Amino acid sequence: MVSDAPPRRSRRSSGQDEPPGPPGPPDKRRSGWRRFVPSWKIVVASVVVLAAGIFGMIMVAYNLTPVPKAPQASAVAQQSTLYYRNGKVLAKLGVPRQTIEFKDMADTVKDATVAIENKTFYDDSGVSLSGMARSVWMTATGQQLQGASTITQQMARGYYDGLSQEVSVKRKLKEIFVAVKLNQELSKEDILARYLNTVNFGLAYGVEAASQAYFGKSVHAKNLTPEQGAYLAARIQRPSWGPDDPGLRERWSTTIKYMAEQWPQKYGGLPAKAKFPKVYKGDPKEVYAGLRGYMITQVLEELKQRKLTPDMVRSGGYQITSTFDENLMKAAKTAVEATTANMSKEYHAGLAAVDPRNGRVLAFYGGSNFLNDPFNEPFDAQKQAASAFKPYVLAAWLQAGYSLKSYVPGNQTVPKVIPGEQKGGFRNSHNVGQAVDVVKATAQSVNTAYVSMAFKLPRQLDDVKELVESAGFNQGRMDQDVKEHQFQFAIGSALVTPVEQAAGYSIFANGGKYTKYHVVQDVKLNGQVVYPEQRTSTRVIDPDVAADATVAMQEVLRSGTAAGQGLGNRPAAGKTGTNNNEKEAWFVGYTPQISTAVGFYREKCVTKTGKTVQPRHSNCPDTPNEKKPSKKYGPNNPYTRAVEAPLGFEGAGPPTATWRRFMLAAHEGKQIEQFPQKADIGLPENIVPRPVPTPTPTATNPFDDGSDNPFDDGNQQNCLVAPCNDDSGDVTDDSQQDTGIPEADDHGILSGGGGGKAPDSRPIGTSQTNARHEEW
């Protein structure tokens, strides 16, 4: 249908005004700052997405976090036990720990721990958000009593390997994840038991060891009273607290209160009647008191040389058997202190006793109390050996093929000038005549004889030096002394320690064999030997050499410098030693069972102004007043310094008396053992002519048996070395016999060798050992 009405025109196109139409929808666009604010829908959606992402990442991290399986070394560390050689406990080394079952822990200590450390322990999932929040608030307000970590978290951090102690968000998140997983895998009993077996209580790790450490050896974790259980639980926060520290008392009271609040049916009346428990206030250092400290440190020092460090010992749970004999340690102390009782603290003495058959140090005296004087005399004090060194020259002499029958210089060395002599040459303390045999030279400690013997050896001092190095002496010290003092080395200028001397003389007591001295028999772990004893023996001299050297040293105790100080009917041998000006004095002697060295020296404590003051506990004081601090003096600027002074006695005095006193006690009840018979090896190597005996009319002495001793100097000693005159009593003029001994020239130097061609020298070992070095 077509309309007759005219067509409508568009307003826009016509340009004519039209009436307004109805209003349109409002404009959604905003102006100004509102344009930058997202709508609530976007915000909600973003939060949901972000939360989902974070939750997803947390879940991924949670799923990827493994539950540790291996415990930390410190969490299962066990203290080691050190034993005397007979199996008796000498000391416990390290912080004690004993692992026990949950059923062996008293409810009192379990409840106390939960109350003060994590009261929601039995209900939480291993972590406590409320605990974290409470920790933040209490820390901010100064009321910190409970940590943010649950017992499960603490156990995970303290027990398992891989959870460090660093303070970081990453570590904390990992700890939380592990705690939650552990809570799912382990029962609450297992978690609490592992925690109480691991945690540090101060004097001990683990509740069992802590119970005994604080309340006595007879108290076990299963017997703890509520007060004792609260005491141990209170220590967990700060193990370093003293036994009755005020802070510890306050936390103990809080623990008692929390126990009553959490379990009123069990502990409701406890706060009103609880008394702070009596605890053992011992110092952990007491294990080092007296003689024990010297033994412990020497054992640790030896094990350190075998790559078993002190820290490893203290945490490894080892069973260490030492070589020490408890009774002989006491005997050594008694012997030294009986001798030094009336001496000032300026006098120092060291004693060491070694079993010559195996090198075990049976006993020693290093001081009366390690806590006051930790310097260990027989192991640490390096002093000149003096004449106690001469037996090694004797051994080298016999090893070279020369015999005890040789005649050696008595009044001056041959040659007269020998390298290393001081002004006036090498001298003796007494006149022994122009010539002596080697036995008398040993018994009377004749310097001129021994220097001449060393000079006569095929390789001179090298023969002696190699021998003593094979007998355990430090090569560096020996090399240095030969370089500095040359032939003084033969009469004891080298620095040695008493334990080195005791072990060195083992070559004479043990048929020529040397075993390095040691203080550890073995080290076990869980009953299995992990560090066996080191006792490899080395032959240093021939058995016959040892036998003949012993003959000469027996005469020291019979008619020589230590005459009358033997061991009764028990065979013994040894040698005295006294340094110039009596600054060091020695006696070293042995039986087939024990070799013992005793050394004395004296140190005066002198101030910078020259004033002499008495030592404190055998040590020169660093300050004028021990109890009053000094601004001027201290370890870096000591008040006094040690100056070595003359002893006032020789080796035949207090050193020999101390040796004899100890050896008599040490051999009490032991079977008497004999030395080997004299071997009479080698051929005479006469450095000086054999002296012509002087006839003595028989009628003047009705007790004279007719025998002749050409070396009699008034000591009434018997003929020492064959050949002696026959029983007829006739005196033969040596000038009418062909003795095979060459005559000396005007300078006292022989024109030829000894009485016959000496056999080839025997080999001397060259083993080396380490020792501490001390400057000359």
Side-chain angles (χ1 to χ4, degrees):
M1 176 177 179
V2 180
S3 172
D4 295 331
R8 296 179 180 177
R9 295 182 179 178
S10 166
R11 294 190 182 99
R12 189 176 300 274
S13 61
S14 66
Q16 297 179 356
D17 291 335
E18 298 287 342
D27 189 356
K28 295 181 179 180
R29 291 176 300 171
R30 288 178 289 180
S31 60
W33 61 270
R34 291 184 179 86
R35 293 178 301 167
F36 301 102
V37 178
S39 69
W40 67 271
K41 294 180 181 179
I42 295 176
V43 171
V44 170
S46 298
V47 169
V48 170
V49 171
L50 180 62
I54 293 175
F55 181 77
M57 287 188 292
I58 291 175
M59 292 305 297
V60 170
Y62 175 81
N63 290 326
L64 292 178
T65 300
V67 177
K69 301 298 181 184
Q72 298 178 26
S74 60
V76 293
Q78 300 268 352
Q79 67 177 171
S80 294
T81 304
L82 177 61
Y83 300 93
Y84 287 103
R85 67 173 184 160
N86 65 355
K88 184 178 178 180
V89 174
L90 193 164
K92 298 281 189 177
L93 306 179
V95 180
R97 181 202 304 278
Q98 290 176 261
T99 300
I100 59 175
E101 300 292 333
F102 185 77
K103 62 182 177 61
D104 294 324
M105 301 176 185
D107 288 343
T108 55
V109 72
K110 301 172 190 173
D111 295 342
T113 302
V114 170
I116 193 64
E117 289 294 321
N118 180 196
K119 67 179 181 181
T120 64
F121 170 71
Y122 289 107
D123 301 317
D124 62 38
S125 61
V127 295
S128 174
L129 297 178
S130 63
M132 294 180 188
R134 182 175 61 255
S135 176
V136 173
W137 169 253
M138 289 186 170
T139 299
T141 58
Q143 307 176 60
Q144 179 68 22
L145 291 175
Q146 290 183 308
S149 298
T150 64
I151 287 175
T152 308
Q153 288 173 263
Q154 292 181 56
M155 185 275 289
R157 181 171 63 247
Y159 182 82
Y160 287 106
D161 195 21
L163 288 176
S164 67
Q165 302 293 324
E166 65 174 332
V167 179
S168 67
V169 174
K170 178 180 179 182
R171 195 274 301 167
K172 193 67 177 179
L173 287 174
K174 184 177 181 180
E175 177 188 298
I176 291 172
F177 295 158
V178 170
V180 172
K181 288 189 173 184
L182 288 174
N183 192 71
Q184 295 173 346
E185 293 185 6
L186 301 175
S187 69
K188 291 292 186 180
E189 289 185 357
D190 290 338
I191 293 171
L192 186 56
R194 192 164 293 178
Y195 177 73
L196 288 174
N197 276 323
T198 303
V199 72
N200 182 8
F201 290 99
L203 291 181
Y205 285 93
V207 67
E208 174 68 6
S211 299
Q212 298 179 39
Y214 289 105
F215 308 123
K217 294 295 183 182
S218 61
V219 178
H220 299 279
K222 63 181 178 182
N223 306 128
L224 293 172
T225 66
E227 291 88 348
Q228 291 171 334
Y231 176 88
L232 294 182
R235 295 197 64 87
I236 293 174
Q237 185 189 57
R238 189 174 298 175
S240 60
W241 268 327
D244 57 358
D245 191 282
L248 174 61
R249 284 180 173 270
E250 182 179 350
R251 188 164 177 84
W252 173 82
S253 297
T254 303
T255 304
I256 293 290
K257 174 186 174 184
Y258 284 5
M259 291 170 69
E261 290 176 354
Q262 192 153 352
W263 292 282
Q265 69 280 11
K266 294 169 67 175
Y267 309 112
L270 186 60
K273 63 180 182 180
K275 294 182 179 180
F276 193 77
K278 292 183 179 180
V279 294
Y280 173 67
K281 299 181 181 180
D283 188 337
K285 293 180 181 179
E286 285 187 0
V287 69
Y288 283 82
L291 302 180
R292 288 195 304 271
Y294 300 104
M295 291 184 277
I296 293 170
T297 53
Q298 209 54 49
V299 166
L300 293 177
E301 176 67 23
E302 183 170 308
L303 291 177
K304 185 166 64 175
Q305 303 304 317
R306 301 184 67 180
K307 310 303 181 184
L308 186 60
T309 66
D311 286 342
M312 294 167 65
V313 170
R314 294 188 181 99
S315 62
Y318 296 100
Q319 300 86 47
I320 305 165
T321 301
S322 75
T323 62
F324 306 130
D325 185 297
E326 182 180 15
N327 292 329
L328 295 188
M329 287 294 298
K330 293 177 181 177
K333 181 177 186 293
T334 299
V336 173
E337 294 184 356
T339 305
T340 59
N342 296 321
M343 296 181 183
S344 78
K345 291 183 173 61
E346 293 176 347
Y347 289 82
H348 300 260
L351 180 153
V354 173
D355 187 331
R357 296 163 295 193
N358 49 40
R360 294 175 180 173
V361 179
L362 301 175
F364 65 91
Y365 179 83
S368 61
N369 190 343
F370 181 84
L371 296 182
N372 296 330
D373 183 16
F375 189 79
N376 194 339
E377 296 289 352
F379 289 88
D380 298 335
Q382 298 176 359
K383 300 295 178 180
Q384 286 186 314
S387 293
F389 198 77
K390 289 175 181 173
Y392 303 113
V393 179
L394 173 61
W397 176 264
L398 296 171
Q399 190 75 17
Y402 309 144
S403 78
L404 294 176
K405 301 174 185 178
S406 305
Y407 298 105
V408 291
N411 286 342
Q412 68 179 24
T413 59
V414 175
K416 186 174 182 179
V417 177
I418 291 182
E421 66 182 27
Q422 296 177 332
K423 185 178 180 180
F426 290 101
R427 292 170 292 180
N428 303 312
S429 61
H430 56 292
N431 187 354
V432 294
Q434 290 291 333
V436 291
D437 65 273
V438 172
V439 174
K440 184 171 182 178
T442 304
Q444 297 296 325
S445 197
V446 183
N447 291 335
T448 51
Y450 267 89
V451 172
S452 302
M453 289 164 64
F455 191 85
K456 186 64 176 178
L457 289 171
R459 298 172 59 238
Q460 296 188 325
L461 291 181
D462 284 343
D463 282 346
V464 182
K465 188 172 72 70
E466 288 184 7
L467 189 149
V468 296
E469 288 170 2
S470 300
F473 293 92
N474 178 263
Q475 180 182 7
R477 257 189 279 141
M478 300 303 107
D479 287 342
Q480 184 68 21
D481 192 77
V482 169
K483 180 180 179 181
E484 291 184 2
H485 300 107
Q486 297 176 297
F487 277 83
Q488 289 185 45
F489 180 74
I491 55 174
S493 58
L495 300 176
V496 300
T497 66
V499 72
E500 285 177 327
Q501 279 286 65
Y505 271 47
S506 293
I507 66 174
F508 305 114
N510 190 37
K513 292 182 178 179
Y514 170 79
T515 305
K516 180 175 172 55
Y517 69 85
H518 55 282
V519 299
V520 177
Q521 284 190 205
D522 59 51
V523 180
K524 295 180 180 178
L525 185 61
N526 299 323
Q528 299 295 318
V529 175
V530 291
Y531 289 86
E533 183 174 13
Q534 291 186 325
R535 49 179 292 186
T536 302
S537 296
T538 303
R539 177 163 297 285
V540 179
I541 56 178
D542 290 346
D544 290 345
V545 170
D548 280 5
T550 296
V551 168
M553 282 187 277
Q554 281 183 284
E555 204 60 38
V556 172
L557 289 166
R558 289 175 179 164
S559 63
T561 53
Q565 299 197 58
L567 304 180
N569 63 345
R570 184 182 297 274
K575 185 70 186 72
T576 56
T578 309
N579 194 11
N580 291 344
N581 299 320
E582 298 178 344
K583 285 188 176 181
E584 287 100 20
W586 294 83
F587 189 82
V588 188
Y590 58 94
T591 67
Q593 293 124 308
I594 301 176
S595 175
T596 299
V598 177
F600 274 73
Y601 66 97
R602 181 184 181 189
E603 288 182 342
K604 286 188 173 183
C605 301
V606 182
T607 67
K608 292 181 179 179
T609 60
K611 178 183 177 183
T612 299
V613 300
Q614 281 298 302
R616 296 187 193 131
H617 308 299
S618 299
N619 300 308
C620 287
D622 289 337
T623 58
N625 191 320
E626 183 179 16
K627 298 181 179 179
K628 185 178 180 181
S630 173
K631 294 181 179 179
K632 182 177 181 181
Y633 297 107
N636 296 326
N637 183 33
Y639 174 59
T640 62
R641 61 186 179 90
V643 177
E644 197 160 357
L647 286 162
F649 54 75
E650 297 183 345
T656 303
T658 303
W659 174 87
R660 184 174 187 272
R661 185 176 283 115
F662 170 77
M663 291 291 273
L664 286 172
H667 286 85
E668 189 172 342
K670 290 184 179 294
Q671 182 178 357
I672 294 178
E673 294 186 18
Q674 302 295 328
F675 288 124
Q677 292 295 316
K678 184 174 74 169
D680 208 10
I681 61 168
L683 295 174
E685 181 68 21
N686 299 310
I687 300 177
V688 293
R690 178 183 178 183
V692 177
T694 302
T696 302
T698 305
T700 62
N701 183 1
F703 302 103
D704 190 354
D705 62 0
S707 63
D708 176 60
N709 181 3
F711 311 116
D712 186 6
D713 60 355
N715 289 329
Q716 299 298 319
Q717 63 190 57
N718 296 324
C719 175
L720 303 180
V721 181
C724 297
N725 291 327
D726 60 27
D727 295 335
S728 67
D730 294 336
V731 180
T732 304
D733 185 354
D734 279 359
S735 63
Q736 299 176 3
Q737 293 188 17
D738 181 9
T739 63
I741 303 173
E743 298 293 331
D745 62 18
D746 293 337
H747 301 286
I749 300 177
L750 298 178
S751 60
K757 183 178 184 297
D760 293 337
S761 60
R762 300 171 176 85
I764 295 175
T766 57
S767 62
Q768 302 174 9
T769 58
N770 294 323
R772 303 177 188 84
H773 178 69
E774 180 179 283
E775 294 295 329
W776 167 255

